[in-house]
Amino acid sequence: MTPGDTPPIVTVEGLVQIYSIEGQDVAALSGVILTVQRGEIVALVGPSGAGKSTLLNVLAGLMSPSAGRVRLAGHELSAKNAAVLDRARGSDFAVLLQDVTRNLLPYLSVRQNVELGWPKSVRAGIDIDGILDIVDIAPDLRPQPVRAISGAARQLTAIAATLATNPSVLLADEPTSSLAGAEVRAVTDAILRANRELGTTVIAVTHDLDVATALDARIITIRDGRIRMDARAGNTLVSIREDGSLPLPDDVLGQFPAGTQVTVRPGEDADTFVVRRAGGDDHR
Ligand code: ADP
């Protein structure tokens, strides 16, 4: 599924999240602006401590933002009370927690875990085996208790259980972090098939750029609580900040290191401006 002309499924404006530690305020998010279109796969990447998990937790409604606005799958998150949010989280959007055991009941079978999320209303066109086929769990594993299956199969079961609630958006925190090699590939393939066959929008935190690439994702790089880069299919988008500064993509920063003096002037048309190294050539 490709992003269409419909309104964004996720809109984040001016998001700020401040933690207080021993009387000191730490800004984990400092004015995040983000829109995600229906059907996109977005990878949130960046160094440890950048604010990725905080952003995912705020998007999931697991944490109220200090300031800003979050709209996700038709819900204005900051305006919801906990009960409404819990219902929305179980249907319009789903959260795959990093610790896979928290997503599942280990003594129930794979199939029973997926049945738990099945909506009361009949879903057209797909049944539980259809969901298990999408994540590619072999039929002989389906009656097995979750505690008896491999880590990768557990993660696939957790993905199937979240898909069973028919979410528009799947929020996943490091979905491959405890896996390696072919197991990682099994999980990225399952997420890709969910996106393509069910139209599920996916926002996944990952520290692994190979995972982002395998998901053919729009890659959003977060650093110091801000979106630093937004890259899709070879194009990198950066946003001019409120103070007028512009976070340069790494390749440009390699060419124009911090401290380089440049002149800036409007270009020949409304879509261009010209940056020139003091005494150097134009860069548009
Ligand atoms: P990432 O997921 O990119 O590693 P986090 O969102 O976990 O980043 O953290 C962003 C910043 O917020 C870090 O400086 C971290 O120390 C701080 N932080 C995260 N969670 C808490 C918390 N519960 N209490 C206080 N500070 C926190």
Side-chain angles (χ1 to χ4, degrees), residues 19-21 26 28 46-55:
Y19 295 109
S20 280
I21 313 165
V26 175
S48 180
K52 306 180 296 293
S53 298
T54 301
L55 177 57

Side-chain angles (χ1 to χ4, degrees), residues 90 94-96 99-119 123 127-129 131-132 135 137 141-150 153-166:
V95 186
L96 194 64
D99 177 2
V100 69
T101 55
R102 287 175 62 200
N103 295 290
L104 298 168
L105 293 175
Y107 50 87
L108 294 184
S109 71
V110 167
R111 174 173 257 285
Q112 285 168 327
N113 267 281
V114 179
E115 275 169 353
L116 282 180
W118 203 248
R123 271 177 68 179
D127 58 11
I128 288 180
D129 281 310
I131 298 275
L132 289 166
V135 301
I137 291 189
L141 278 185
R142 298 177 190 182
Q144 302 280 334
V146 158
R147 62 169 177 257
I149 63 177
S150 71
R154 271 186 218 160
Q155 186 63 300
L156 295 175
T157 305
I159 293 170
T162 58
L163 294 176
T165 64
N166 199 19

Side-chain angles (χ1 to χ4, degrees), residues 17-21 26-29 45-57 63 173-174 205 222 225:
Q17 185 67 39
I18 293 171
Y19 295 109
S20 280
I21 313 165
V26 175
L29 299 174
V45 304
S48 180
K52 306 180 296 293
S53 298
T54 301
L55 177 57
L56 199 83
N57 280 325
M63 192 183 273
D173 195 358
E174 297 278 8
V205 167
I222 302 188

Side-chain angles (χ1 to χ4, degrees), residues 87-281:
R87 273 200 301 280
R89 198 181 300 119
S91 52
D92 298 334
F93 62 98
V95 186
L96 194 64
L97 299 168
Q98 187 170 357
D99 177 2
V100 69
T101 55
R102 287 175 62 200
N103 295 290
L104 298 168
L105 293 175
Y107 50 87
L108 294 184
S109 71
V110 167
R111 174 173 257 285
Q112 285 168 327
N113 267 281
V114 179
E115 275 169 353
L116 282 180
W118 203 248
K120 303 266 181 297
S121 56
V122 177
R123 271 177 68 179
I126 194 155
D127 58 11
I128 288 180
D129 281 310
I131 298 275
L132 289 166
D133 289 345
I134 284 176
V135 301
D136 200 17
I137 291 189
D140 59 328
L141 278 185
R142 298 177 190 182
Q144 302 280 334
V146 158
R147 62 169 177 257
I149 63 177
S150 71
R154 271 186 218 160
Q155 186 63 300
L156 295 175
T157 305
I159 293 170
T162 58
L163 294 176
T165 64
N166 199 19
S168 309
V169 183
L170 172 61
L171 302 165
D173 195 358
E174 297 278 8
T176 61
S177 63
S178 54
L179 308 174
E183 295 184 330
V184 172
R185 188 76 211 187
V187 167
T188 54
D189 283 351
I191 292 173
L192 274 172
R193 276 193 303 272
N195 173 257
R196 288 182 186 149
E197 295 180 30
L198 302 174
T200 315
T201 306
V202 179
I203 302 178
V205 167
T206 179
H207 66 277
D208 186 348
L209 262 183
D210 289 344
V211 167
T213 307
L215 289 173
D216 193 19
R218 170 180 167 197
I219 300 176
I220 294 189
T221 309
I222 302 188
R223 255 181 235 165
D224 300 328
R226 294 167 186 266
I227 290 183
R228 190 170 155 79
M229 274 188 276
D230 186 344
R232 164 131 221 143
N235 284 322
T236 301
L237 279 179
V238 293
S239 298
I240 297 173
R241 294 173 177 160
E242 283 177 8
D243 65 1
S245 63
L246 188 64
L248 297 180
D250 287 341
D251 53 342
V252 180
L253 196 56
Q255 200 181 340
F256 291 80
T260 306
Q261 283 222 306
V262 296
T263 59
V264 183
R265 64 175 168 77
E268 283 151 19
D269 57 61
D271 294 329
T272 317
F273 67 90
V274 179
V275 178
R276 182 196 287 265
R277 190 191 306 273
D281 297 332

